[in-house]
Amino acid sequence: MAAFLQWRRFVFFDRETVKDPIENGKNFILPNGISACDSGRGHIVLGDILIWFLTRSLQLSSFQAYKLRVTHLFQLKQHSILVSVGQDEHGINPLVKVWNTDKRDSGSPLCTRIFPAIPGNKPTEVSCLSVHENLNFMAIGFTDGSVVLTKGDITRDRHSKTLTLHEGNSPVTGLAFRQAGKVTHLFVVNLEKVQCYTLSVKEYPRLELDTHGCALRCSALTDPSQDSQFIVAGNECVYLYQPDERGPCFAFDGHKILVHWHRGYLLLLTQDSKSPNNKETSPTEKHVLTIYDLDNKFIAYSAAFDDIIDVLAEWGSFYILTRDGKMFVLQEKDTQTKLEMLFKKNLFVMAINLAKSQHLDKDGLSEIFRQYGDHLYVKGDHDGAIQQYIRTIGKLEPSYVIRKFLDAQRIHNLTAYLQALHRQSLANADHTTLLLNCYTKLKDSSKLEEFIKSSESEVHFDVEIAIKVLRQAGYHSHAVFLAEKHAHHEWYLKIQLEDLKNYQEALRYIGRLPFEQAETNMKHYGKTLMHHVPESTTVLLKKLCTDYHVVPCSVEGAYDLCSSGNLWLQANSEEFIPIFANNPRELHAFLEHMIKVEPFSPQGVYDTLLELRLQDWAHEQDPEKKEVLQRAALSLLRSDNTVFDKALVLCQMHSFKEGVLYLYEKGKLYQQIMHYHMQNEEYSKVVEACKHYGNQEVCLWEQALGYFARKEEDCKAYISEVLQHIDLNNLMPPLLVVQTLAHNSTATLSVIKDYLINKLQRESQQIEEDERKIRQYREETANLRSEIQELRTSAKIFQKTKCTMCNSPLELPSVHFLCGHSFHQHCFESYAESEAECPTCTPENRKVMDMLRAQDQKRDLHDHFNRQLRGSNDGFSVVADYFGRGVFNKLTLITDPPGAKAGPGSLEADLQRDLLIHTKRNV
C-alpha cells in the first residue's frame, strides 16, 4: 500500500476556461439542467430533456430523445451507437433507447431500438449502464440490486434476449465489461461487494472479489496498458481488481465523488474537506480534482473546482463540466516540458519512469540517463553515475564517459563501463585495449579470465587487439589461451616461440593446423624450430611433404594428424630446404626420405641431395666408405632426376671424376671427355676416348694428334697409334699431318715414315685405277659413237620374235624401237607414257636426265652463291641463309638397283654417274 501523501505533486496540465468561439472573450455556457454526460466518437454528449452533441469547434446540436428527462448516456468508442436511459412519462418507468448517430430520421439520429428497463415485475430506477464495444452485451444496474443483461445484437429486438443476471439488496453502483481474448467478463459493484461474472461460459459463473463496494460513479475500467483492471474507489483506498483476484490498492483519502481512467491517468474527484458543509454559507460545493500517475507514483495535477458535474476525456484533453454552466479544459503538457520540470528538481528517476511510460524514443531516454549520470558524477556518486552512463551505451559517445573517469582515476568504474560496452558489441580496438589495461593495472586476474574465457557466442571484443595488449602486459598464458581458442594461429606461435620459448608446444600446435596454415607457419618459423628441436621438426616436415592427413579435432580451428584422414595434401619439399641451412644431418635424412617415398620429388630435392652426397664423398677418408658414397652419388646421377648443368657443376666443384665423365658421356660431349683426360695428362685415356667416340666425332683424332704433337715428352707410341687410325680412315691430308707434327721436337721422320709410305702407295693405286677407267670410258665412248653413226646411216633390222613386255610371240601390229625392244601394239599402248619413248628404257633415261639437270642447277647455284657472297657486306648472313635453304646438304646419288643387268646404255650411265661423283668432289 502506498500513501499518496508521500507522492510528489506536479502541474503537468494547463487549466483554461473554454471560451465561446462566436462571442470572443466570453465563457462558453453549457445547457441548463444537465443530468447525464459521456464522450466519444469525436463529440461530447450531454443530456437533460434533450440530448446535446458538442463538437470540437464547440458547435451545439440537439434532438429530443425523451419527453421528461435523460438519466443515463453511454457513447461507444468504436461504433456510432449511443445508448440512453430516460423517462417519457411520470413515475418509475425508465426506457432504454439505442441511437445510430450516423443515420438520420427527420434530422435526428435514428433510433434503432426501444425497450423498458424493468428487472422484474416491479418498477425500479436505473442506477448505472454499460455496453460492450462488440455490441453483443449490454448491462443495466438498478437501485434494487438487480442487473439485467442483454445478450445478442443490442441494436435490434429480434436478435437479442434479456435476462436478469444478478439480484441483491444493495443498489448497483458500477458495471464494466472486460474482454481478454475470447473471454468476456462483467464486473458488478454495489455498496457492499465487488463481483465478477464470466459471460463466455454457460451458467455465467460468478466470483466474489471483495466484501466492500463503492458509491455511484466511483468505479471505472483501466486501459489495456494496465491489463484492463477494474477500479473501485472507497473513501480510504482505491482498489484494482482482476477477474479472479484483487490487485494493488492505493491509500487515497477523501470522500470520492467520481472516478475516471484515461491514458494511464487515474482521475479522482473528491469533496473538499476544507469546504464548509453548511450550504447556507456556501451555495456551491467545492470539489478537488486530482490526477494520479499510478505507474510513476506522482500527482500530475490537483485543483479545486466549484460543483463539478462530470469530467470527460476527448480530443486529447480533459473537459470539466460545472453546475454553473462553465466548462474547463485541462491540456497535458508535452513530454519534454514535463521532463524539464523534473530535471529542475533533480528528479531523474521519476523523469526516466515518466519517459518510459510516455514511450519516449531511445535517444530521448539516453539524454535523460546522461543528465542523471552527470548529476550523480558532480555529487561524487561515481558508482551511481557509471550505472546511468552504461544505460547510454549506443547513443552517447563513449569517449564522453571515458574521459571523465580517466581524469578522476576511477578505474573500477571505468572498467564496469568498458565491460558493458563490450557486452553490447559496441567496443572498438581502443576500448578493448583500455579495458585490458584496466584489468592489468587492477591485477584482477579473475575478471581478466572471465573476460577472455567467455563463450564463442559472447565475444564482444577484437580478439587480435586483446592478444596484443595481454602480450604487452606480460600475461602470456592468457594471450596464448585467447589465440588458441579463437584460432589466431600466428599470434599463438609468435607468443610460444618468441616469449615463452616453448618450441615443442609450438611444433605440436602446427601439426594440428589445417594444411595451408601448417605449411605457411612452417615456412615462417621453420628455421627457429629446426634450430631448437631439429628431430621433431624434421618429422613434421616429412609428414607435411608426403602424407599430411588431417581430420577435424575437438579444438575449433585446429586439426589432428591421422593416418586414415579424409584429406590428403602435400607440400613442395623443395621450398623447405632453406630451413635446414645449419642442420645438414637432418637435411640429409629429410631428402633421403623424400626420394624414397616420393620418387617424383621436385628437382631441387635431387640436386641438393647430390650436393650432400658429393660433400660426404669429398670429406670421407675411409676407402671403403668412400667407395660406397661414390656409388650412391653415381646412382643419383643415373636416375635421370638431376639437372645436367647443375649436376655437372657440382661434380666439377667436388672433383668427382667419375661423375664428370659420366655426365660428359651422357651429354655426348665427347671432346670434353678427351679434354678432361688431356688436362689430367692421361695419355692412354685420350687414345681410348678417341677409339670409343671417334666414330661419332672424327675430329677427336685430329685433336689427339695435335695434343701429342705439342707435348715435349716422348709420345711416339701414342702418335703412331693415332696416325694409324688417321691413315686407316683417311681422316687428314698428309700435308696437314706433317705440319701438325712439325711442332714436336721429339717426333722424327721415323714416326711418320710408315704413314707416308702407305699414303703414297694408296695414291699410286688410285692413280692407276683412274687411268684404267679413263681408257675404259674412251673405248666405250668410241663404240657408242660408231653405233650412233651406224644407226644414222644404215638400216636397222628388227629380228625380235617376242614382245619385251609380255614375252609372247610378236604379232602385227607391233612397235619396234632402235634400242632393240619390240612390243605388241596393245602392250605398248597400255604401258607407254609417251609414244616417242621405249617403256623399258624410260626409267633409266629419266634418271640420267635428272642427274644432268641437277648438275646444271648446282652449277648455276654455285655461281650465284659466289656472286652474292662477293657483293654482300655481311658474308656470314649469306652463308647462314644458304645453310637454311639446304644448299650444302650432302648430295644423294641415284645408282643402279642391286642385281640390275647392264644394257646397251650402261656405259653412258656409268659415265654420267662418274661425272656426278667428280662434280660433287669439286664442289
Side-chain angles (χ1 to χ4, degrees):
M1 181 178 293
F4 82 100
L5 293 176
Q6 299 176 357
W7 290 16
R8 289 185 174 271
R9 294 173 177 267
F10 302 97
V11 183
F12 285 164
F13 289 84
D14 294 325
R15 171 181 169 178
E16 294 180 2
T17 303
V18 179
K19 303 297 183 180
D20 194 327
I22 299 177
E23 299 182 12
N24 295 331
K26 291 186 178 182
N27 294 335
F28 181 80
I29 303 301
L30 294 170
N32 293 325
I34 294 175
S35 57
C37 305
D38 204 356
S39 63
R41 302 297 290 179
H43 51 248
I44 293 175
V45 186
L46 306 174
D48 47 19
I49 296 176
L50 305 177
I51 293 181
W52 298 82
F53 291 97
L54 179 63
T55 64
R56 188 168 189 175
S57 60
L58 300 181
Q59 298 294 322
L60 275 172
S61 62
S62 65
F63 71 95
Q64 187 168 1
Y66 297 91
K67 296 179 180 179
L68 295 182
R69 66 186 181 115
V70 178
T71 59
H72 296 82
L73 291 173
F74 194 98
Q75 173 66 55
L76 276 74
K77 305 299 185 289
Q78 300 177 10
H79 302 277
S80 297
I81 300 296
L82 173 66
V83 180
S84 64
V85 179
Q87 294 180 346
D88 280 342
E89 57 186 26
H90 296 283
I92 304 175
N93 49 6
L95 286 177
V96 178
K97 295 185 180 182
V98 180
W99 307 89
N100 188 335
T101 57
D102 285 343
K103 297 181 180 181
R104 294 290 169 175
D105 182 12
S106 300
S108 300
L110 176 64
C111 182
T112 61
R113 184 181 181 186
I114 302 175
F115 65 92
I118 300 175
N121 295 325
K122 55 181 180 178
T124 306
E125 292 285 350
V126 174
S127 59
C128 55
L129 170 68
S130 181
V131 182
H132 200 292
E133 287 291 337
N134 63 10
L135 301 179
N136 287 326
F137 294 101
M138 179 169 59
I140 304 173
F142 296 89
T143 56
D144 66 350
S146 301
V147 176
V148 173
L149 177 67
T150 300
K151 185 177 181 182
D153 188 355
I154 64 170
T155 62
R156 299 177 182 272
D157 290 325
R158 291 185 302 174
H159 299 287
S160 64
K161 60 180 180 179
T162 302
L163 57 92
T164 302
L165 179 67
H166 175 77
E167 293 182 349
N169 298 321
S170 178
V172 177
T173 57
L175 296 170
F177 287 100
R178 181 183 187 272
Q179 188 71 38
K182 295 182 179 180
V183 180
T184 305
H185 295 94
L186 174 63
F187 289 100
V188 179
V189 60
N190 54 30
L191 296 176
E192 299 176 350
K193 295 179 181 179
V194 180
Q195 301 173 82
C196 181
Y197 287 87
T198 304
L199 303 182
S200 55
V201 179
K202 290 183 178 181
E203 307 299 331
Y204 307 126
R206 179 181 63 177
L207 179 64
E208 186 173 311
L209 300 177
D210 217 333
T211 57
H212 58 79
C214 66
L216 196 63
R217 302 205 302 171
C218 289
S219 63
L221 193 70
T222 66
D223 52 37
S225 65
Q226 293 290 330
D227 201 18
S228 300
Q229 298 183 83
F230 187 56
I231 302 173
V232 176
N235 288 332
E236 296 180 355
C237 297
V238 174
Y239 302 90
L240 277 72
Y241 296 92
Q242 293 282 358
D244 55 352
E245 62 179 353
R246 189 176 81 177
C249 64
F250 301 89
F252 300 147
D253 293 335
H255 178 65
K256 311 299 188 301
I257 299 173
L258 179 67
V259 172
H260 272 309
W261 180 274
H262 182 68
R263 291 187 178 179
Y265 288 116
L266 173 66
L267 282 76
L268 286 183
L269 185 63
T270 59
Q271 189 172 3
D272 189 359
S273 59
K274 296 180 181 180
S275 65
N277 294 326
N278 188 357
K279 292 185 179 181
E280 294 178 357
T281 59
S282 179
T284 59
E285 291 188 19
K286 284 289 185 180
H287 294 161
V288 178
L289 176 64
T290 308
I291 302 177
Y292 297 93
D293 188 329
L294 299 184
D295 283 341
N296 301 313
K297 304 296 187 297
F298 65 81
I299 298 173
Y301 182 80
S302 181
F305 293 87
D306 293 333
D307 202 2
I308 295 176
I309 298 174
D310 207 342
V311 180
L312 302 174
E314 191 63 29
W315 309 308
S317 302
F318 293 115
Y319 289 86
I320 302 169
L321 284 61
T322 61
R323 293 284 179 193
D324 58 3
K326 295 181 180 179
M327 185 166 65
F328 301 91
V329 59
L330 296 180
Q331 293 182 345
E332 188 177 6
K333 298 179 184 293
D334 62 88
T335 302
Q336 190 60 40
T337 302
K338 291 189 285 186
L339 291 175
E340 290 176 357
M341 294 172 63
L342 295 174
F343 294 157
K344 291 178 180 179
K345 298 181 179 181
N346 294 327
L347 300 175
F348 292 98
V349 175
M350 190 170 289
I352 292 170
N353 294 332
L354 176 63
K356 289 181 177 179
S357 64
Q358 297 289 328
H359 304 290
L360 196 66
D361 59 12
K362 292 183 178 181
D363 292 334
L365 282 172
S366 177
E367 179 61 21
I368 300 174
F369 295 142
R370 183 196 65 78
Q371 294 187 38
Y372 190 20
D374 291 346
H375 171 70
L376 295 175
Y377 183 84
V378 172
K379 288 176 60 178
D381 184 4
H382 296 94
D383 294 338
I386 205 65
Q387 294 303 318
Q388 298 307 317
Y389 287 133
I390 288 174
R391 301 169 79 176
T392 66
I393 291 176
K395 299 297 180 181
L396 181 64
E397 176 61 37
S399 60
Y400 177 87
V401 179
I402 294 172
R403 187 163 49 250
K404 283 180 175 289
F405 288 90
L406 277 177
D407 296 340
Q409 297 294 313
R410 301 289 298 184
I411 298 180
H412 289 86
N413 301 126
L414 182 59
T415 303
Y417 180 78
L418 292 171
Q419 284 177 333
L421 200 63
H422 282 79
R423 280 195 296 269
Q424 297 188 32
S425 300
L426 295 174
N428 58 27
D430 295 332
H431 299 150
T432 302
T433 303
L434 185 57
L435 177 58
L436 292 173
N437 285 330
C438 289
Y439 283 143
T440 55
K441 286 186 177 181
L442 294 173
K443 300 188 183 301
D444 193 345
S445 298
S446 60
K447 284 286 186 181
L448 183 59
E449 290 185 4
E450 180 183 352
F451 179 75
I452 68 172
K453 292 184 179 180
S454 57
S455 62
E456 185 69 24
S457 59
E458 297 177 357
V459 175
H460 308 292
F461 57 89
D462 190 320
V463 176
E464 186 171 0
I465 294 296
I467 294 172
K468 290 180 181 179
V469 175
L470 290 171
R471 185 189 182 200
Q472 186 176 3
Y475 286 80
H476 297 120
S477 59
H478 296 79
V480 165
F481 170 82
L482 207 56
E484 182 176 11
K485 179 179 179 181
H486 297 282
H488 285 261
H489 310 308
E490 292 185 3
W491 280 108
Y492 180 90
L493 295 172
K494 186 185 292 290
I495 297 171
Q496 289 283 15
L497 295 173
E498 297 178 7
D499 299 326
L500 300 178
K501 310 296 182 183
N502 195 346
Y503 305 104
Q504 196 65 43
E505 176 60 25
L507 192 64
R508 179 197 64 81
Y509 187 84
I510 294 176
R512 295 167 53 235
L513 293 177
F515 171 77
E516 292 81 4
Q517 298 179 12
E519 181 183 22
T520 302
N521 284 291
M522 282 305 296
K523 291 177 181 178
H524 190 265
Y525 298 106
K527 289 185 178 180
T528 303
L529 293 170
M530 182 61 67
H531 178 71
H532 293 90
V533 281
E535 295 182 359
S536 302
T537 304
T538 305
V539 171
L540 180 57
L541 286 174
K542 289 179 180 179
K543 293 179 179 178
L544 193 63
C545 297
T546 54
D547 56 350
Y548 191 80
H549 302 287
V550 293
V551 291
C553 72
S554 58
V555 178
E556 185 176 354
Y559 292 78
D560 283 329
L561 293 174
C562 176
S563 59
S564 60
N566 55 356
L567 299 174
W568 187 74
L569 301 167
Q570 282 185 336
N572 187 348
S573 53
E574 185 177 2
E575 296 177 356
F576 294 100
I577 292 177
I579 293 175
F580 297 88
N582 299 318
N583 300 80
R585 183 170 61 86
E586 284 75 16
L587 176 60
H588 198 286
F590 174 72
L591 297 176
E592 292 286 357
H593 175 78
M594 288 306 303
I595 65 170
K596 180 180 179 181
V597 177
E598 294 293 333
F600 300 102
S601 293
Q603 193 64 52
V605 172
Y606 287 93
D607 294 339
T608 307
L609 181 59
L610 175 62
E611 184 177 3
L612 290 176
R613 289 183 177 179
L614 291 176
Q615 288 178 356
D616 294 342
W617 173 84
H619 294 89
E620 183 59 52
Q621 301 298 326
D622 188 349
E624 294 182 359
K625 294 182 178 179
K626 196 175 186 71
E627 180 66 23
V628 173
L629 293 173
Q630 177 177 318
R631 289 197 298 269
L634 285 174
S635 66
L636 198 59
L637 290 174
R638 295 191 181 100
S639 64
D640 296 331
N641 290 311
T642 54
V643 177
F644 178 82
D645 295 338
K646 293 182 180 179
L648 183 58
V649 171
L650 290 174
C651 291
Q652 291 173 343
M653 287 174 55
H654 295 88
S655 301
F656 187 51
K657 176 181 178 182
E658 289 76 7
V660 172
L661 294 176
Y662 169 76
L663 291 173
Y664 282 157
E665 183 177 3
K666 179 180 178 181
K668 297 183 179 180
L669 302 176
Y670 306 125
Q671 295 188 40
Q672 281 78 355
I673 295 176
M674 192 173 68
H675 291 162
Y676 184 85
H677 293 310
M678 289 177 179
Q679 291 174 359
N680 293 280
E681 296 185 350
E682 299 174 340
Y683 301 150
S684 60
K685 295 290 186 180
V686 173
V687 177
E688 289 182 7
C690 292
K691 292 179 180 179
H692 281 95
Y693 312 116
N695 294 332
Q696 284 81 6
E697 290 194 31
V698 294
C699 63
L700 294 181
W701 290 105
E702 299 177 14
Q703 294 177 9
L705 182 62
Y707 170 73
F708 289 121
R710 289 189 296 272
K711 291 294 181 180
E712 294 301 326
E713 295 87 351
D714 188 6
C715 300
K716 294 180 179 179
Y718 300 109
I719 294 175
S720 299
E721 188 173 0
V722 172
L723 285 174
Q724 182 179 357
H725 284 84
I726 291 175
D727 182 34
L728 183 62
N729 297 293
N730 195 21
L731 300 178
M732 293 177 65
L735 182 58
L736 182 59
V737 172
V738 173
Q739 291 175 349
T740 302
L741 292 177
H743 298 288
N744 193 320
S745 60
T746 61
T748 60
L749 185 60
S750 61
V751 176
I752 61 172
K753 181 179 67 174
D754 296 337
Y755 166 75
L756 293 175
I757 292 173
N758 292 334
K759 191 67 175 174
L760 291 173
Q761 287 178 351
R762 282 197 296 273
E763 289 295 333
S764 299
Q765 293 175 0
Q766 184 65 36
I767 292 172
E768 293 176 357
E769 180 64 23
D770 291 341
E771 290 177 348
R772 184 188 63 78
K773 286 186 177 181
I774 289 171
R775 290 193 298 270
Q776 178 183 350
Y777 291 154
R778 285 177 178 174
E779 293 175 358
E780 291 180 354
T781 302
N783 292 333
L784 287 173
R785 286 175 178 172
S786 61
E787 184 178 351
I788 292 171
Q789 184 64 27
E790 183 180 356
L791 290 173
R792 287 177 178 177
T793 58
S794 303
K796 178 68 173 178
I797 299 173
F798 300 103
Q799 297 179 348
K800 285 269 187 170
T801 60
K802 291 187 178 181
C803 176
T804 304
M805 191 64 68
C806 63
N807 206 24
S808 299
L810 283 173
E811 296 177 355
L812 296 177
S814 60
V815 180
H816 303 275
F817 286 91
L818 294 176
C819 61
H821 297 137
S822 300
F823 306 91
H824 292 113
Q825 185 174 359
H826 63 271
C827 290
F828 173 75
E829 292 176 353
S830 299
Y831 293 97
E833 296 180 4
S834 174
E835 294 181 356
E837 289 184 298
C838 173
T840 303
C841 298
T842 295
E844 186 65 28
N845 293 337
R846 190 166 295 171
K847 289 181 182 180
V848 174
M849 295 303 296
D850 289 342
M851 286 188 290
L852 292 174
R853 280 195 298 270
Q855 183 177 0
D856 293 339
Q857 292 176 0
K858 205 74 172 179
R859 182 176 61 254
D860 295 340
L861 187 62
H862 175 71
D863 296 339
H864 181 70
F865 170 71
N866 286 330
R867 288 194 304 270
Q868 193 171 358
L869 187 63
R870 285 193 298 270
S872 175
N873 294 328
D874 187 3
F876 180 79
S877 299
V878 176
V879 174
D881 179 55
Y882 273 79
F883 265 110
R885 290 156 57 186
V887 173
F888 301 112
N889 290 349
K890 186 176 180 181
L891 181 65
T892 303
L893 301 179
I894 303 175
T895 59
D896 293 332
K901 295 182 179 179
S906 61
L907 177 61
E908 186 176 356
D910 291 341
L911 178 61
Q912 295 296 337
R913 187 181 304 112
D914 197 48
L915 288 174
L916 286 174
I917 292 174
H918 283 285
T919 301
K920 171 65 175 65
R921 288 176 179 174
N922 293 333
V923 174

